[in-house]
Amino acid sequence: MAWTFTTLKTAIQDYLETTESTFVATLPTIIQQAEDRILKSVQLPDFRVNKTGSMTTGNAYLQVPSDFLAPYSLAVDNSGYEFLLFKDVNFIRELYPDATATGVPKYYAIFDDNSFIVGPTPNADFSVELHYFYKPESITVSGTSWLGDHAESTLLYGCLVEAYTFLKGDADLLQLYMARYEDALAKLKSLGEGYNTTDSYRSGAVRQQRA
């Protein structure tokens, strides 16, 4: 079954057989921690997004979107898209020590939590397209989510691990919840990083050895 924020909270309380007020009040944080754990463990095609922006002449920095987790590509529209190579900040600083020297950017790096740095510094105002792995809105905010609709077991057992840790529950049961979570996560990774990155035309149908 698909989870909503309401049904997920109820299920967690039912599994752990507690409605203690402090625990119930902490459930939004517990669920968000579980979502964060899942999102940082598997790359799902559904959490890829393209956004356009702009670079300005003489400014080597480009703002990072607020929901950004990791980059897939960054392209500059220079009479057609040219894809920049992802490098370390030190590489760009060493290759282009003079920030006033400008040109069409060829490299980019994550400078800090809020910005990319490119090199060389743009010599014109360029449109850019960023393709990146983003953090979706939590089920605690929107009431529903992709994880709640399509990764029910992973989300539930991830929440139970976080919740039972909060309750300082029995180690054996926590280990059981963790095993269930890891099994569900492995299946989600198989879907997101395996099946969704190939097709049967080029790779052939999935086959299992006959007994």
Side-chain angles (χ1 to χ4, degrees):
M1 62 171 288
W3 298 117
T4 66
F5 180 39
T6 300
T7 60
L8 182 59
K9 285 192 299 180
T10 300
I12 295 169
Q13 293 172 70
D14 289 345
Y15 267 80
L16 301 182
E17 298 181 330
T18 179
T19 56
E20 192 273 326
S21 59
T22 302
F23 171 71
V24 172
T26 311
L27 277 175
T29 300
I30 288 170
I31 293 170
Q32 289 167 12
Q33 288 174 328
E35 291 173 324
D36 189 62
R37 179 195 286 255
I38 296 167
L39 290 170
K40 291 179 178 176
S41 299
V42 57
Q43 293 191 21
L44 298 164
D46 302 84
F47 300 144
R48 289 174 177 250
V49 67
N50 281 22
K51 284 190 178 179
T52 57
S54 59
M55 293 179 183
T56 55
T57 307
N59 184 1
Y61 299 94
L62 179 67
Q63 186 174 355
V64 169
S66 60
D67 58 358
F68 173 86
L69 286 178
Y72 289 115
S73 66
L74 178 63
V76 171
D77 188 358
N78 183 34
S79 299
Y81 278 120
E82 298 177 7
F83 286 86
L84 280 63
L85 298 177
F86 186 67
K87 296 290 185 179
D88 185 79
V89 173
N90 293 333
F91 174 91
I92 294 175
R93 284 279 174 80
E94 184 175 3
L95 190 61
Y96 304 104
D98 182 4
T100 63
T102 62
V104 179
K106 299 180 182 298
Y107 307 99
Y108 77 109
I110 297 175
F111 184 75
D112 57 27
D113 288 342
N114 300 310
S115 57
F116 296 112
I117 185 172
V118 301
T121 300
N123 60 357
D125 294 344
F126 291 105
S127 295
V128 298
E129 182 178 78
L130 176 66
H131 183 203
Y132 66 97
F133 182 45
Y134 80 98
K135 185 174 184 177
E137 191 171 58
S138 171
I139 196 172
T140 64
V141 175
S142 58
T144 59
S145 69
W146 189 93
L147 291 176
D149 289 341
H150 302 284
E152 301 96 318
S153 294
T154 314
L155 181 57
L156 173 62
Y157 284 108
C159 289
L160 290 176
V161 168
E162 297 293 339
Y164 211 53
T165 301
F166 174 83
L167 292 173
K168 300 177 177 61
D170 178 74
D172 289 339
L173 187 53
L174 178 60
Q175 188 175 3
L176 173 62
Y177 288 145
M178 179 61 77
R180 293 283 182 87
Y181 166 72
E182 290 176 348
D183 178 65
L185 182 66
K187 291 174 181 174
L188 184 62
K189 286 176 71 71
S190 180
L191 173 67
E193 298 173 10
Y195 294 111
N196 279 353
T197 58
T198 60
D199 63 21
S200 295
Y201 178 74
R202 296 190 181 278
S203 304
V206 176
R207 291 182 174 88
Q208 197 168 19
Q209 186 173 0
R210 290 165 60 175

